[in-house]
Amino acid sequence: KSDLVYDLNCNSGIIIRQPVLSSYGRADLINIEYAGNDWECINFKDKIYKGFRQWSINVIELKRDKIGYNEVGQICRYLKGLKEFIQTLKLPKDRFYIKGILIGKRVEENGDFVYLLDQLNQVDVFTYSLDYKTGLNFSRSSDWRLMNVDFTNTNLNFNISEIKNLIREHLQ
């Protein structure tokens, strides 16, 4: 199975096509799954716990061709709109884990865009390919790095004890 199948285990949820997120726009798909119950300790000494329901929500944006800065901005706008909507529901016993998934034919590789993708915790990027033998295939696009990097000429000139002292000063 591809990584995308594991991310979108639709057996316990629903998929909404073309939902409008108010002025934030219209997403391609939103997948909502009930992820189960969990407990949070309120008072450890008296063993008082509060239960809450967990939900996993994926906002999925499909692109015919490349994924670049504009597409990441678009999915981030949808994520913000969804979070704002959830706040209006006032559901104190529910926890929502929200993620964006971008799917496109390729990822923009010019400039520094690919390094941005590795820093976004709430957005996963997949590329797709279509093969007449294997059908539709997905691959996660992550862990971008420069090739053949030599750090021997790096000039960071810092003293580890100075860093430790700085940390201690800020913790007091």
Side-chain angles (χ1 to χ4, degrees):
K1 289 185 174 181
S2 77
D3 292 337
L4 185 61
V5 172
Y6 289 113
D7 281 0
L8 296 176
N9 180 8
C10 300
N11 296 333
S12 62
I14 61 168
I15 293 181
I16 305 167
R17 294 181 59 214
Q18 298 286 304
V20 176
L21 298 167
S22 186
S23 301
Y24 288 95
R26 181 187 303 266
D28 286 335
L29 301 167
I30 292 183
N31 164 241
I32 303 171
E33 297 178 29
Y34 176 66
N37 291 327
D38 204 351
W39 299 92
E40 179 180 315
C41 180
I42 303 298
N43 182 326
F44 184 75
K45 181 182 168 198
D46 297 329
K47 299 181 181 175
I48 299 172
Y49 293 88
K50 178 174 83 171
F52 58 90
R53 295 175 296 235
Q54 296 183 102
W55 299 90
S56 174
I57 303 177
N58 297 306
V59 177
I60 305 156
E61 191 61 26
L62 309 169
K63 295 300 172 190
R64 199 171 301 196
D65 193 25
K66 80 170 175 74
I67 296 171
Y69 286 109
N70 290 337
E71 291 74 23
V72 169
Q74 181 182 17
I75 194 102
C76 288
R77 180 170 26 97
Y78 296 157
L79 292 172
K80 178 66 175 175
L82 182 60
K83 288 175 186 177
E84 297 250 335
F85 171 71
I86 287 171
Q87 285 180 346
T88 67
L89 299 177
K90 295 181 174 36
L91 299 169
K93 293 187 177 186
D94 293 80
R95 298 276 168 87
F96 297 91
Y97 300 96
I98 301 171
K99 184 167 65 171
I101 298 175
L102 278 168
I103 303 171
K105 182 130 180 97
R106 62 187 178 87
V107 173
E108 178 64 51
E109 295 179 10
N110 296 332
D112 293 330
F113 173 72
V114 291
Y115 303 114
L116 169 70
L117 294 179
D118 278 347
Q119 303 308 312
L120 296 175
N121 295 331
Q122 290 184 310
V123 177
D124 287 336
V125 176
F126 290 87
T127 56
Y128 70 86
S129 61
L130 188 58
D131 183 78
Y132 72 94
K133 290 182 181 178
T134 60
L136 185 60
N137 301 290
F138 297 95
S139 316
R140 186 183 299 270
S141 178
S142 63
D143 201 26
W144 290 85
R145 64 185 72 214
L146 296 173
M147 301 300 290
N148 303 320
V149 175
D150 180 10
F151 286 108
T152 57
N153 294 326
T154 302
N155 184 13
L156 289 176
N157 293 333
F158 62 84
N159 183 331
I160 193 68
S161 62
E162 290 175 8
I163 294 174
K164 287 180 181 178
N165 288 335
L166 182 65
I167 292 170
R168 282 188 197 111
E169 287 174 19
H170 282 60
L171 291 177
Q172 293 178 357

